[in-house]
Amino acid sequence: MRIELVEFALPLPDSGPYGIAAGSDGTVWFTEQKRNRIGARNEHGEFTAFDVPTPNAGVMSILCDRNGDLWFNEYHAGQIGRMTPGGEFKEYKLPDPGCAPFGLAEGPDGAIWFTEMMTGRIGRLSPGGEVTEYKLPHEGAFPSFITTGSDGKLWFTENQGNRIGTIDTDGSVTHYALPTPGSAPVGITAGPDGALWFVEIAGNRVGRITTDGEISEYSLSTEGAKPHAITSGIGQDLWFTEWGANRIGRITVDGKLTEYDIPTQGSEPHGITVAADGTVWFAEECNRLGRLTIK
C-alpha cells in the first residue's frame, strides 16, 4: 500500500477550515469558521464558497445528508443551518441561543440530531423543523460529537464527563464511563465492525465501544498527539486527525496503528472524511485542505 498526501491552499487567507464532509458527486464541503462560509471543492479542483446568512455564526461541524443537502452548526448563534448544494440556506433557531450546538448526525428517523455543549443537552430537529431537547443527567458533561450506531441509537462523546453516551430516538439515555481518567473524548464514528470508535484528545488514545458497552483503548505512539476527529474508511479501518502531532492516523479494527506526517508544519488538522472512492480528506486550520490517497 502506497500513500500519497497532498495539500491544497484555499483561495482566501484566514478562512479557518474546520469541519469537512464528502458529497456523492466528488465534491468536498467544509466550514470556514473564520470567514463564516460554507466552502466546496469540486472533483475538478475548483473552489466555491457561500456566505452563511447569520453574521459570526460560528460554523464548525458539517454533514452531507442522504439527499445531498448540507447541515452545519452555528455555535455562536445557537442555530442549526441547512444548505442545498446550490447555496440556498435555511436556519433553525434553537430555544436557548447560548446552547452552543456542535456535533451533528443524521438519525435513523430522518431527523438531524445534535449536541449542545453549554447546556448539556442532546437535540433533535425533525424533518418538519420541530426541535426537541433532552437534558443529560450529569452537569458539565460538555457533549461534543455524535453519530448513529449500528444499533439505531445515537452515540456521543462527553468531553468533560469522561463518558460515552447513547440516546434512543425516544430520548432514553445510557452512559459508559471511560477507563482513562480525564481522557476528554471528542470525535466519534460508527466503525465497519459494528462498534463505535472515538478519540481521546487528552488521553492520547483511540477508543472502541461495542453496542453492549465493552470498551477497548489503543495508545498513540506520540505523547500529546491530541487526536480530534475520526471517521470510518471504506474497508476495515478508520482514519483520524492528530492535531498535536501534525499527522493523520489510521487504525484497523484489530487495533493496528499507522500514522502519516502532514507536510505543512503546524497545520492543525481537525475534521476528516472519507469519500466514496476511499480518498481521505481533512481540514487544516492553517488554511488548507489535505487529501490522502491510497495507491
Side-chain angles (χ1 to χ4, degrees):
M1 181 175 68
R2 186 168 66 89
I3 298 294
E4 180 183 75
L5 202 158
V6 183
E7 296 172 287
F8 304 94
L10 299 189
L12 295 179
D14 299 322
S15 294
Y18 185 91
I20 192 166
S24 59
D25 63 351
T27 300
V28 179
W29 299 88
F30 54 96
T31 56
E32 297 184 17
Q33 58 171 326
K34 293 180 180 179
R35 287 192 175 271
N36 205 52
R37 305 192 305 181
I38 304 300
R41 182 187 186 275
N42 68 20
E43 59 182 341
H44 305 296
E46 300 164 334
F47 283 96
T48 54
F50 304 88
D51 293 322
V52 173
T54 298
N56 304 313
V59 293
M60 299 178 78
S61 302
I62 189 170
L63 70 81
C64 185
D65 71 15
R66 65 193 68 171
N67 297 318
D69 287 341
L70 291 308
W71 293 84
F72 54 93
N73 74 320
E74 298 187 19
Y75 186 88
H76 298 311
Q79 298 180 149
I80 300 296
R82 178 186 180 186
M83 189 189 88
T84 67
E88 297 179 8
F89 285 89
K90 186 169 184 179
E91 295 170 302
Y92 301 88
K93 291 185 179 297
L94 302 180
D96 185 342
C99 66
F102 186 70
L104 299 165
E106 186 175 14
D109 55 355
I112 299 298
W113 290 74
F114 55 94
T115 61
E116 297 181 9
M117 279 186 162
M118 298 308 295
T119 55
R121 298 188 184 108
I122 303 299
R124 177 184 184 272
L125 178 62
S126 75
E130 180 184 358
V131 176
T132 308
E133 296 172 305
Y134 303 95
K135 180 70 174 175
L136 299 180
H138 303 104
E139 291 295 327
F142 216 64
S144 299
F145 283 98
I146 187 169
T147 193
T148 298
S150 60
D151 57 356
K153 299 178 182 179
L154 285 303
W155 290 75
F156 55 92
T157 53
E158 296 184 24
N159 179 259
Q160 296 301 303
N162 209 54
R163 291 178 291 262
I164 301 297
T166 181
I167 184 169
D168 289 311
T169 53
D170 65 1
S172 303
V173 176
T174 305
H175 299 268
Y176 301 94
L178 297 180
T180 300
S183 64
V186 186
I188 188 169
T189 192
D193 56 352
L196 288 304
W197 289 75
F198 56 94
V199 286
E200 303 173 10
I201 197 168
N204 215 55
R205 292 169 169 83
V206 176
R208 175 184 184 270
I209 182 170
T210 68
T211 53
D212 294 327
E214 181 181 348
I215 298 172
S216 306
E217 294 176 305
Y218 304 90
S219 297
L220 300 183
S221 61
T222 304
E223 286 296 324
K226 296 183 180 178
H228 182 80
I230 187 168
T231 191
S232 187
I234 63 170
Q236 295 297 299
D237 57 9
L238 301 102
W239 297 84
F240 57 95
T241 52
E242 295 184 21
W243 172 53
N246 208 57
R247 291 175 178 156
I248 298 301
R250 175 182 180 264
I251 190 168
T252 61
V253 294
D254 57 1
K256 182 180 178 181
L257 180 68
T258 315
E259 295 163 300
Y260 305 95
D261 291 327
I262 297 171
T264 300
Q265 293 299 308
S267 65
E268 297 190 34
H270 291 295
I272 191 167
T273 189
V274 175
D277 63 357
T279 302
V280 180
W281 289 87
F282 52 95
E284 303 175 30
E285 197 166 338
C286 71
N287 223 54
R288 291 172 170 84
L289 298 187
R291 184 184 70 192
L292 191 153
T293 308
I294 304 170
K295 297 185 176 181

